[in-house]
Amino acid sequence: MDEKIKKTILKILLSAGLLSKKQTDEILLKEEQARARLLKSKGTAVRRGRLIQPDISIIDIIDSLKFKMPGSDTAYITEEVIMQEIAKHLKMPFLKIDPLRLDSDIVTKVISKPYAIKHQLVPIKLSDNILTVATSNPFEREGVDGIKQSKGYDIEVAVSTKADILKIITEFYGFKISIAAAHDELTSQIDLGNLEQYVKLKSVSELAASDQHIIDAVEYLLHYAYSQRASDIHIEPKREHSLVRFRIDGVLHDIHRMPKAVHPAFVSRIKTLSRMDIAEKRRPQDGRIKTDQDGKEIELRVSTLPVAFGEKVVIRIFDPAVLMQDIDKLGFLERESALFRSFISAPYGLILVTGPTGSGKTTTLYSALRTLSTSDINLTTIEDPVEMIYEDFNQTSIHPQIGITFASSLRTILRQDPDIIMVGEIRDIETADNAIQAALTGHLVLSTLHTNDAPGTVTRLLDIGIQPFLINSTLVGIVAQRLVRKVCQYCADRYYLSEDECKMLGIHFDRAKNIKVSIGVGCPQCRGTGYLGRAGIFEVMEITEKIRAAVEEKATPVKIRQLAKSEGFTSLRECAIEKMFKGITTFDEIIRVTGIIG
């Protein structure tokens, strides 16, 4: 970036009131010192035998100096703020790039990676011969003009940040180039011009171990998933291609389409990393990968499943910071938090956490276990499989194929002098019986059960064959939970609920008519969804004397719920409504998650 452009940018920020004259003088005074510091932190790269230093612009320097926004004590003048002001001054649109909305073919096939890096631009969208290009250097026209002359497109230019553009170049070109190279290598090993001449393909094990393109592609995909806050990666073989999808905030998004020829090698690489049998393609397998991202340890749980067109792979990403939280940060309301803490403080008994798959049960259990884990406690878990390795716990994984089940493991663990036992899931009468016996003999047992709500859990235990007197002797409390999407705080708006909406929620209009609730209108931060992140909603039911009497009579869930309500029980829907009133979630999200719950 030359001196003229530097002065122009400082002038723009000065006239916009973002910087004062004193601050612009400070920038010029500290420029070389800040540049040296940034060069040292970013390091150098070697390209074609030459040492390449990263380009440090005046925008990078202003960003690094952390000037506060005028009139704010918390917000800073960031690269994004600067680029928005430059776009406004040049009367150009500013674009916050959403990687999930990009077509990777348009990004990678219009221009080469070196050209994109040199001119700091990426193609974003192609419609009716109009190509939208995002650039972090709107003062330079050479790159845009080169595309127009060579490709013949009409060009629309949007301004974006260098950080976003370089991230897209790295992730999209890196993944796409690796996949294309792997595809060429795989398909070129058969002479299509003479089908009688075949060249021996590498074995799957040889390919997984030696194909650098596949190794790179898998790593690009994992880094991309981390950066997009994905909780799961789905790699699904189809008839003509392989589809890659990410689950973000509970919703699946299409990410990439890979050539079908690359899919087996891609899966083999993942199976190698997770120590699976790469030769076995007919049976489902489970494995795990331990890695790190930005100095933070990440656990990946891998599952393969044979489907119609090959092996499907699902990688679940476990972030320890999410999986093990302080109980106060899980999302309990005040009464429910106190009740749950009283449950886990009991010297013995059975505590059940219920809800469907993906409702956050594991997070609740692990967070409780971390709270309970001390040097004078023997804490043992039985899981299928172990979700997250935590060295303070003694963790056991079941293996039904060799006779190690929840029930058999629980019998063995009782001879290991445990204080607290976590059983991953109660699935049958044998596991339930052993858990009850462990609770009867002075152990605190935590487990999960797949039921819709807390009152229904008691009925489920009765249905699988547990006697009422055993339930009453051991069951301390039940937690049922779900996850609701949180309103994006970057685009949140407020409005009053209508009378019809109050009726749908089962609340009196007089209670809500003066309370504004939140809704996300959609922005680049939340990819236009209006939601960013998820929060737990809970119903916590204590086993009181009234409920014990109802259990003895084998009462219905409706009767048990009525008794619990008379003692202050808060349902999932009521918990969600409280969170809506606090601006955490929305009316639509409550209906989506709790619509079938009374």
Side-chain angles (χ1 to χ4, degrees):
M1 191 173 285
D2 62 27
E3 283 294 316
K4 185 178 177 182
I5 294 175
K6 179 176 76 175
K7 289 177 180 177
T8 301
I9 291 171
L10 289 174
K11 188 176 178 182
I12 290 170
L13 299 178
L14 185 62
S15 63
L18 283 176
L19 292 176
S20 65
K21 180 66 169 64
K22 183 180 177 182
Q23 286 172 322
T24 58
D25 291 342
E26 183 183 346
I27 290 164
L28 294 172
L29 184 66
K30 294 182 177 179
E31 180 181 358
E32 291 309 315
Q33 184 183 353
R35 178 172 278 107
R37 187 177 68 249
L38 289 171
L39 282 170
K40 186 176 179 181
S41 67
K42 291 177 182 292
T44 56
V46 177
R47 192 180 304 151
R48 295 179 183 175
R50 291 189 299 122
L51 200 63
I52 305 297
Q53 288 190 332
D55 176 38
I56 306 296
S57 70
I58 194 66
I59 296 169
D60 298 317
I61 289 166
I62 298 170
D63 182 57
S64 74
L65 292 174
K66 301 294 180 189
F67 290 113
K68 286 184 178 176
M69 289 282 289
S72 173
D73 291 329
T74 55
Y76 294 92
I77 299 174
T78 61
E79 182 191 8
E80 188 168 321
V81 171
I82 296 167
M83 296 311 295
Q84 285 176 336
E85 196 57 51
I86 290 171
K88 183 179 175 183
H89 177 82
L90 297 176
K91 295 182 172 53
M92 296 171 70
F94 176 82
L95 180 63
K96 177 69 177 173
I97 303 174
D98 179 3
L100 299 186
R101 296 182 183 274
L102 299 183
D103 184 330
S104 60
D105 284 342
I106 291 172
V107 173
T108 57
K109 290 184 177 179
V110 173
I111 58 174
S112 68
K113 183 177 180 180
Y115 192 91
I117 293 172
K118 179 183 177 183
H119 297 287
Q120 290 181 20
L121 52 76
V122 286
I124 297 296
K125 185 175 68 173
L126 180 62
S127 176
D128 298 328
N129 205 52
I130 299 172
L131 180 71
T132 303
V133 173
T135 179
S136 62
N137 189 2
F139 301 101
E140 188 249 284
R141 292 291 306 181
E142 183 186 343
V144 172
D145 292 341
I147 298 173
K148 186 172 184 178
Q149 289 172 10
S150 62
K151 302 294 181 180
Y153 297 129
D154 293 325
I155 309 291
E156 284 186 355
V157 182
V159 177
S160 191
T161 63
K162 183 167 71 172
D164 279 356
I165 286 173
L166 292 180
K167 189 180 183 69
I168 295 300
I169 291 171
T170 300
E171 291 173 346
F172 276 72
Y173 281 93
F175 183 82
K176 207 72 177 178
I177 289 168
S178 298
I179 288 295
H183 180 253
D184 291 344
E185 188 172 301
L186 286 165
T187 54
S188 67
Q189 294 179 72
I190 298 177
D191 182 359
L192 298 177
N194 180 359
L195 292 181
E196 292 181 350
Q197 287 187 350
Y198 285 89
V199 177
K200 182 180 180 297
L201 295 174
K202 294 178 184 177
S203 70
V204 172
S205 58
E206 288 172 334
L207 180 64
S210 64
D211 193 333
Q212 188 61 46
H213 303 306
I214 289 293
I215 293 171
D216 290 346
V218 170
E219 291 194 6
Y220 277 119
L221 186 67
L222 293 178
H223 283 297
Y224 189 27
Y226 300 150
S227 69
Q228 298 304 310
R229 302 181 300 103
S231 61
D232 299 86
I233 305 169
H234 291 240
I235 302 162
E236 305 170 355
K238 305 298 181 185
R239 189 184 299 276
E240 302 295 338
H241 62 269
S242 179
L243 179 64
V244 179
R245 300 197 286 172
F246 290 169
R247 187 178 296 279
I248 302 169
D249 292 338
V251 179
L252 279 169
H253 299 264
D254 289 358
I255 301 299
H256 291 295
R257 275 183 160 81
M258 297 190 296
K260 186 66 182 290
V262 175
H263 181 84
F266 203 87
V267 171
S268 292
R269 174 60 185 166
I270 294 169
K271 289 168 78 173
T272 300
L273 288 172
S274 50
R275 298 184 180 180
M276 294 183 190
D277 182 355
I278 59 176
E280 178 57 74
K281 301 178 183 295
R282 298 166 299 171
R283 289 188 300 109
Q285 296 186 66
D286 291 303
R288 63 188 330 110
I289 304 168
K290 200 167 195 173
T291 182
D292 69 271
Q293 175 72 4
D294 298 329
K296 186 170 62 176
E297 191 176 278
I298 301 287
E299 191 98 13
L300 309 175
R301 197 177 77 196
V302 184
S303 172
T304 67
L305 177 71
V307 294
F309 299 110
E311 283 184 285
K312 179 187 174 185
V313 178
V314 175
I315 304 172
R316 174 155 286 187
I317 302 170
F318 289 103
D319 183 343
V322 174
L323 197 59
M324 293 191 190
Q325 300 182 41
D326 188 280
I327 288 173
D328 292 332
K329 294 180 181 177
L330 291 175
F332 286 104
L333 299 178
E334 189 175 345
R335 175 185 175 276
E336 282 62 39
S337 179
L339 269 179
F340 185 60
R341 284 187 179 277
S342 73
F343 294 170
I344 64 175
S345 299
Y348 58 86
L350 177 63
I351 300 167
L352 292 175
V353 179
T354 75
T357 301
S359 60
K361 300 188 298 294
T362 301
T363 298
T364 300
L365 282 175
Y366 269 68
S367 300
L369 292 177
R370 192 180 74 165
T371 301
L372 293 168
S373 179
T374 58
S375 59
D376 58 344
I377 291 290
N378 178 12
L379 195 159
T380 305
T381 74
I382 311 165
E383 303 172 65
D384 179 27
V386 172
E387 302 274 17
M388 177 75 200
I389 303 295
Y390 191 63
E391 64 180 30
D392 288 355
F393 307 161
N394 298 297
Q395 295 170 286
T396 304
S397 185
I398 72 164
H399 299 283
Q401 64 272 23
I402 56 173
I404 303 175
T405 62
F406 279 119
S408 65
S409 295
L410 192 46
R411 285 194 300 271
T412 302
I413 281 169
L414 287 173
R415 297 191 289 272
Q416 290 277 314
D417 187 30
D419 296 297
I420 299 170
I421 303 167
M422 192 272 272
V423 181
E425 185 183 344
I426 292 177
R427 298 174 178 170
D428 50 42
I429 181 62
E430 188 181 7
T431 307
D433 265 337
N434 281 285
I436 293 283
Q437 290 304 315
L440 280 171
T441 53
H443 304 91
L444 184 64
V445 181
L446 293 85
S447 189
T448 70
L449 201 62
H450 283 281
T451 59
N452 285 332
D453 56 12
T457 303
V458 174
T459 308
R460 173 72 178 137
L461 290 172
L462 292 168
D463 287 345
I464 63 176
I466 303 299
Q467 294 299 315
F469 76 91
L470 289 174
I471 296 173
N472 283 337
S473 300
T474 57
L475 192 57
V476 175
I478 303 164
V479 177
Q481 68 180 87
R482 299 288 190 279
L483 291 175
V484 292
R485 289 181 292 174
K486 296 197 297 186
V487 177
C488 173
Q489 296 305 308
Y490 294 96
C491 62
D493 197 6
R494 308 277 284 175
Y495 76 102
Y496 293 106
L497 288 175
S498 68
E499 194 165 354
D500 286 341
E501 286 173 330
C502 289
K503 284 180 182 177
M504 291 177 72
L505 292 175
I507 57 177
H508 290 294
F509 182 57
D510 289 343
R511 177 191 171 194
K513 65 182 181 181
N514 295 321
I515 301 175
K516 278 191 171 183
V517 297
S518 293
I519 187 170
V521 297
C523 70
Q525 298 288 342
C526 62
R527 303 183 180 89
T529 63
Y531 298 99
L532 189 63
R534 290 189 290 177
I537 56 170
F538 303 86
E539 58 181 30
V540 182
M541 190 174 84
E542 185 180 14
I543 308 302
T544 62
E545 289 306 318
K546 283 185 179 180
I547 290 174
R548 286 192 177 94
V551 172
E552 197 66 42
E553 296 170 2
K554 297 188 177 180
T556 64
V558 173
K559 175 66 174 175
I560 293 172
R561 177 176 287 275
Q562 288 171 348
L563 288 171
K565 294 268 298 176
S566 71
E567 297 181 321
F569 171 80
T570 302
S571 70
L572 284 168
R573 174 169 282 181
E574 288 167 338
C575 178
I577 289 169
E578 286 299 316
K579 288 186 181 290
M580 177 186 69
F581 286 151
K582 291 178 180 178
I584 295 170
T585 193
T586 66
F587 165 81
D588 289 336
E589 191 67 358
I590 294 174
I591 296 300
R592 184 183 74 85
V593 174
T594 71
I596 59 170
I597 300 170

